[in-house]
Amino acid sequence: MGFISKILSHRFPWRRRQRVFDAEGERTVLRLRYNRFKRLLNANDKVLAAMTEIEFALKGSRLFGMDFVRSRTTVISTGVYQAVKYLNDLADDGKFKLLFDKFDEIRQKITPVLNNSQNAAEAPLVLTLSNVGREDIDQVGVKMANLGEAARGLGMGIPEGFVITSASYQAFMEHNGLKRELERRRQADEGGGLDALYRLSSSLQQLIIDAQVPEAVSNAVHEAIEGLRASPTEPLTLAVRSSGVSEDLKEASFAGQYRSVLNVSPENLLRAFKEIVASKYSATAMSYRFNRGLRDEDAVMCVGCLKMVDAVAGGVAYSRDPVEGRGEMIIINSAWGLPKLVVDGRSDVDRFVVLRSPELKIIHREIAHKTIKYTCHSAEGVFREDLAYSRDPVEGRGEMIIINSAWGLPKLVVDGRSDVDRFVVLRSPELKIIHREIAHKTIKYTCHSAEGVFREDLAEGERLKPSITDTQVLTLARAAVAAETHYGEAQDMEWAISHDNRVVILQSRPLRLAAAPEKGPAVSSDGGVVKAPVLLQGGRGVSSGVAAGPVHILKKDVDILRFPQKAVMVVMHPLPKWAVLMGTCSAVIAEYGSITSHLASVAREFNKPAVFGLRGACDKLTDGQMVTVDGSGACIYDGEIVELIESNVETEASIAHTPVYQALERIASHVLPLTLKDPDAPDFRPENCTTFHDIIRYCHENAVREMFRFSSRYPFPRHAAKQLVCDIPMQWWVLNLDDGFDKEIEGPEVHIDDIISVPMRALWEGITMVPWEGPPPIDGKGLMSVMFEATKNTSLVTGVRSNYAERNYFMIAEHYCSLTSRFGFHFASVESYVGERIPENYIHFRFKGGAADESRKKRRVQLIEEILTDLGFSLDVNEDLLWARFEDEPMEVMQQRLRIIGFLIIHTRQLDMVMSNEKMVFHYRNRIRGTINELFNLH
């Protein structure tokens, strides 16, 4: 040993240790690293794909709910953690452990936005209604808080009752893991269509109905029930009503979306409680929250339990006309019996208009021809049994037994009101049915119980009689004005008249007002009167605006599943269940209903034109017929009246103001920004990662470095990492991860003929198929754009040291290839697996950057996007970043697409510098597409 070697050996003893080369052992180590690297790349792809979805969502290009926010955040969080873990496994020296701490810091900032659970351990499970007001919204919900306020602050008559609070709701949802199971099922079904929504709704509601109510909640409810009884023997029934914490708001009334159960006995109260909680997951309610951008977890369901008012008459009072805007008119709609007919829109109802000033005065009455009413069930009724004759009464003592039957109670059989089924049985030698007559049956009678409500025909003398008196109209008008003054905004008030002539307030909520419409004939955008064929008119506009679309008539629930996008909803009765389509339809037409119907309220919230009361609409209109609906003028025109639509002022509320959007926005601030942009900059370090995007970028960059650094630490990979010999004046380096070479390659170089990686060879064929002609001629503005971009990002300047500027990396196996490259001023990466198993085949292509200004870079990405779209790629584009995917095709198709990708990588170089306008995009797209068609025989 020489003198210097001895000194070095003594000074650095580890130099004395000689490492024995074990080719098989090193190959095993490399395969293990390759598997970790592949998993890191897979995590990286999933994270970037989820980030792209979030970016598009934030642009308002799609509607989304908290399930979307939570699921995408979970994908990103999981993927980033996996990338950190696999990078640390690749490094095996602990130098990247700080990334775990940075991951935890970011996750702790995101978690509170996702979790909105409240600590209800010490909150009351039940509260007496007389003790609550608006300050108790978080405990009793908006509806019950406002009702308590009406009694306490306004002195209005309300029913006695109590509220099952948000604390009870939280306890119920946590009991037996119900909340977790609901969340699991929602996220598993996130993103389906209407049919999937109905299946999910049924599953979630049944889960709640079958759940057990915690004993503490059950005991508190039973104690409250006893407190309502005047005596132990007093008959007691309750109106059980939803009172969501986010319900009855001006921008989100949830009108008719949640369930109310009327005339409920104390014994069945907990069942009704579960039914109302379950209605939170009705298809209409879930669709409503989704379209309004409301968080599911914010929809905490409190339940009001009120002494049932068996109303003589009931209805709704609006303190202002919601269509006319802030006018001086009070609108009162009423019907005989319970208010159900008024809010459901099932029948014509009485309408009164009261002028507010100088004093309350009834200025208009419309007394409808009313035929039915809803009243509380009683226990009264007659029960008669079916008659089964032991012998035929006509034949006398013959051998025939006669049995007549009908559905439901025997009343139809004995009264003779309808055809009934008839069976003849022969007595001997043994009983045998010898004759059947199955009637066409249309009705049945069922037994009244002491619970629930039923529809009853009105007596002839009541049908044209006003359901309330003028005195009651003015009393209700005064109450509406007082409520508006107290709450500081227009009110939508539901009321009932009791048998002792008392006005009882059942709820009061904010009323959404439209801008006052223009009067007179419909006018076009240029001010001219619209002259178009009128199909229907004479109804009442209940939501202003103008929209057009094909007619779709809804008669059965199944018709909902066939509803086309932007169609005009046409219904007989404006029932709340049709609201599930409010985010899909363009307008609403109904034969019945009034301005106070629940569906009218929802239409106004969604800014959808609606006209109700158009008799014969379902018969006069046909499916697919194009119509224009003028909600302001209460008129339906034939065809699409463009000039009328253009005159309409869109008032769609921005999704940016919704709670769900704001939650995603807060989460995105910790996920999307990228501050670590230059891999060679001194600040490209773990401690400078401030977002998940920073971490995933850092992991991906260093995973590539670690795989190539491995070749300098171990003998075998040193023989595997080779420089590709080629005529292209760029450095191409190949790392054989597993079996990408056809033999052991000695020396530092490899030839393409030595490579058997299927995807790499296809990609390389595309790269080398046609020599690059060099950059296109650059105009003066293009050159200045390049120079300015270079001053902003010095890592793009030629001559500045950058790993990507110096080398382009292939990592290969026989069926796998990952290309990471920097071609001048743009960055491209391709990852692909191509084999015999079609479901495993994929191509992921990422392209970003350029030397020109943002508009030119975007146009180049537009060019690539248009070409790849025609070739069947799935694409996401955000500014100058393009992300393309092609999957699940046979080997030969995958290889062809990889050749095209290779061709595009080379031949779109520096095109951004000439993309000064759309004509240039058109020119180069056609030119490149023509070359591709010719090269790959795609004509």
Side-chain angles (χ1 to χ4, degrees), residues 585-601:
C585 73
S586 62
V588 186
I589 299 170
E591 293 199 14
Y592 290 89
S594 67
I595 199 170
T596 54
S597 304
H598 283 325
L599 197 68
S601 297

Side-chain angles (χ1 to χ4, degrees), residues 80-94:
V80 171
Y81 180 83
Q82 290 173 339
V84 171
K85 179 182 181 301
Y86 294 134
L87 179 60
N88 276 275
D89 290 344
L90 282 173
D92 64 32
D93 58 3

Side-chain angles (χ1 to χ4, degrees), residues 534-550:
V534 175
L535 292 175
L536 295 169
Q537 61 183 349
R540 182 173 300 280
V542 300
S543 182
S544 58
V546 181

Side-chain angles (χ1 to χ4, degrees), residues 715-882:
F716 179 78
R718 190 158 51 240
H719 296 280
K722 311 293 180 182
Q723 185 171 7
L724 183 64
V725 178
C726 63
D727 295 331
I728 299 177
M730 290 181 283
Q731 292 191 39
W732 302 87
W733 289 81
V734 183
L735 176 58
N736 183 21
L737 297 172
D738 192 7
D739 48 7
F741 294 168
D742 65 349
K743 60 186 175 183
E744 288 290 340
I745 304 296
E746 298 295 333
E749 296 179 338
V750 65
H751 293 265
I752 190 65
D753 292 339
D754 299 320
I755 295 172
I756 61 172
S757 171
V758 175
M760 180 190 166
R761 288 188 66 96
L763 195 58
W764 187 251
E765 287 173 21
I767 290 172
T768 58
M769 185 171 285
V770 178
W772 184 47
E773 298 177 354
I778 308 175
D779 59 23
K781 290 183 179 179
L783 180 60
M784 291 301 296
S785 172
V786 174
M787 295 175 64
F788 179 69
E789 181 70 13
T791 63
K792 294 194 298 178
N793 189 350
T794 57
S795 67
L796 297 179
V797 180
T798 304
V800 174
R801 184 179 179 278
S802 167
N803 284 343
Y804 283 129
E806 294 174 357
R807 296 186 177 190
N808 302 287
Y809 298 130
F810 282 106
M811 297 186 194
I812 65 170
E814 182 178 1
H815 297 287
Y816 175 82
C817 173
S818 172
L819 168 64
T820 306
S821 59
R822 185 71 164 268
F823 295 90
F825 290 90
H826 72 258
F827 168 79
S829 67
V830 182
E831 186 188 354
S832 178
Y833 184 94
V834 179
E836 296 291 345
R837 289 178 54 81
I838 291 176
E840 295 180 357
N841 292 340
Y842 69 89
I843 300 170
H844 292 171
F845 174 49
R846 189 167 181 254
F847 184 95
K848 183 176 175 59
D853 57 45
E854 293 299 323
S855 62
R856 295 176 186 239
K857 287 190 288 186
K858 290 178 185 177
R859 290 191 187 103
R860 178 173 60 177
V861 166
Q862 177 190 342
L863 177 148
I864 298 172
E865 176 190 16
E866 292 175 358
I867 292 173
L868 293 182
T869 298
D870 291 342
L871 294 169
F873 281 78
S874 299
L875 291 110
D876 294 319
V877 177
N878 183 21
E879 304 295 337
D880 66 333
L881 170 64
L882 176 142

Side-chain angles (χ1 to χ4, degrees), residues 620-796:
K620 295 175 183 176
L621 301 176
T622 58
D623 278 342
Q625 179 182 6
M626 182 63 68
V627 299
T628 297
V629 179
D630 179 5
S632 305
C635 193
I636 313 300
Y637 296 96
D638 188 16
E640 182 178 8
I641 314 302
V642 177
E643 62 269 32
L644 185 58
I645 296 171
E646 289 176 347
S647 69
N648 184 47
V649 179
E650 292 289 340
T651 57
E652 282 291 335
S654 171
I655 190 175
H657 299 299
T658 67
V660 169
Y661 183 92
Q662 291 167 354
L664 183 62
E665 197 172 40
R666 290 197 298 274
I667 288 169
S669 67
H670 302 298
V671 171
L672 298 182
L674 180 63
T675 60
L676 298 185
K677 296 181 179 179
D678 182 3
D680 295 312
D683 61 352
F684 198 81
R685 302 167 60 85
E687 54 266 34
N688 294 323
C689 291
T690 59
T691 67
F692 278 160
H693 201 166
D694 284 340
I695 295 179
I696 201 71
R697 171 68 187 276
Y698 186 88
C699 289
H700 184 271
E701 180 73 23
N702 281 280
V704 175
R705 292 180 176 178
E706 284 299 314
M707 288 300 294
F708 277 87
R709 186 175 291 117
F710 186 66
S711 66
S712 66
R713 296 165 56 193
Y714 293 91
F716 179 78
R718 190 158 51 240
H719 296 280
K722 311 293 180 182
Q723 185 171 7
L724 183 64
V725 178
C726 63
D727 295 331
I728 299 177
M730 290 181 283
Q731 292 191 39
W732 302 87
W733 289 81
V734 183
L735 176 58
N736 183 21
L737 297 172
D738 192 7
D739 48 7
F741 294 168
D742 65 349
K743 60 186 175 183
E744 288 290 340
I745 304 296
E746 298 295 333
E749 296 179 338
V750 65
H751 293 265
I752 190 65
D753 292 339
D754 299 320
I755 295 172
I756 61 172
S757 171
V758 175
M760 180 190 166
R761 288 188 66 96
L763 195 58
W764 187 251
E765 287 173 21
I767 290 172
T768 58
M769 185 171 285
V770 178
W772 184 47
E773 298 177 354
I778 308 175
D779 59 23
K781 290 183 179 179
L783 180 60
M784 291 301 296
S785 172
V786 174
M787 295 175 64
F788 179 69
E789 181 70 13
T791 63
K792 294 194 298 178
N793 189 350
T794 57
S795 67
L796 297 179

